Amino acid sequence: SYEPEDRVKIATDARIDSVAEAFAQVIDAKSPYTATHSAGVAEIAVGIGKVQGLIPKELKDLNRAGLLHDIGKLGVPNTILDKPNKLSSAVWSVTRAHPRYTVEILSQVSVFKPIAQIAGRHHERLDGSGYHLGLRGDQMSQMDKILQVADVAEALAADRPYRAGMSVEQVLAIVDSDSGTKLD
């Protein structure tokens, strides 16, 4: 009420999407190995969602969840994220906390609260072997499962400090081999 009228900005869908895109760029700038990861995950997830027949609101939420799914990595040191060799169990536990941080951060922003759980479940797996909650397939939504596939596919295709990016054929073969057990 104290803001001058000419400076009031209404939180339109376009502005909310711009904020999500800006945060995705900040998240991905944290490491040279993730320069376009969040945008790539969002793009893949929306593509899968369209094929699966999701409605426009679900596609919008899926896009935002894809853009913001790794916001919790802002709480993980780069020395861990960019480590070129196998992580110790202590360091691995720090990395595995980032989905929980994602949920905590997004839940604090009213406009992103509806996507917080979806974004934070990107490392869960159908067989319960994922993290941070260890959920099984029947405990997850279709959108959770779509984001999981999108995250895996984008990460496999990208260069990482410990390996080169894989071809589309290799990515699809891995996703297919995990289909029904780890990924939907």
Side-chain angles (χ1 to χ4, degrees):
S1 64
Y2 294 103
E3 189 72 33
E5 283 187 37
D6 63 330
R7 292 180 39 194
V8 172
K9 302 286 185 197
I10 304 299
T12 64
D13 275 344
R15 286 193 176 124
I16 294 166
D17 290 338
S18 291
V19 168
E21 289 165 8
F23 272 110
Q25 290 174 2
V26 170
I27 296 160
D28 291 349
K30 188 165 171 67
S31 170
Y33 298 99
T34 60
T36 60
H37 176 69
S38 297
V41 169
E43 182 179 359
I44 293 167
V46 168
I48 294 169
K50 286 178 180 176
V51 171
Q52 293 290 311
L54 296 185
I55 63 173
K57 184 196 180 320
E58 292 170 321
L59 294 173
K60 178 178 58 177
D61 287 348
L62 200 52
N63 182 62
R64 291 175 183 168
L67 289 169
L68 298 170
H69 76 282
D70 272 343
I71 198 166
K73 280 191 175 176
L74 295 176
V76 179
N78 278 41
T79 54
I80 292 174
L81 294 177
D82 296 339
K83 194 169 169 114
N85 46 16
K86 190 169 173 73
L87 302 178
S88 70
S89 60
V91 171
W92 181 234
S93 69
V94 173
T95 302
R96 289 171 57 110
H98 84 270
R100 180 173 49 87
Y101 300 154
T102 292
V103 174
E104 290 171 1
I105 292 166
L106 294 178
S107 293
Q108 298 302 311
V109 182
S110 62
V111 73
F112 294 132
K113 191 172 186 170
I115 63 159
Q117 295 300 324
I118 298 164
R121 292 179 176 173
H122 65 279
H123 285 294
E124 300 295 339
R125 297 296 178 256
L126 295 178
D127 62 4
S129 66
Y131 59 91
H132 73 283
L133 299 169
L135 299 177
R136 299 188 66 78
D138 61 348
Q139 298 171 301
M140 294 181 281
S141 73
Q142 179 183 19
M143 290 177 33
D144 295 337
K145 295 170 187 176
I146 289 171
L147 193 62
Q148 293 158 11
V149 171
D151 184 52
V152 167
E154 201 293 325
L156 290 172
D159 289 335
R160 291 293 191 246
Y162 46 87
R163 63 153 177 82
M166 297 179 187
S167 69
V168 171
E169 293 78 19
Q170 291 172 307
V171 170
L172 292 175
I174 290 171
V175 169
D176 187 53
S177 72
D178 284 347
S179 178
T181 55
K182 293 187 182 293
L183 299 172
D184 191 338

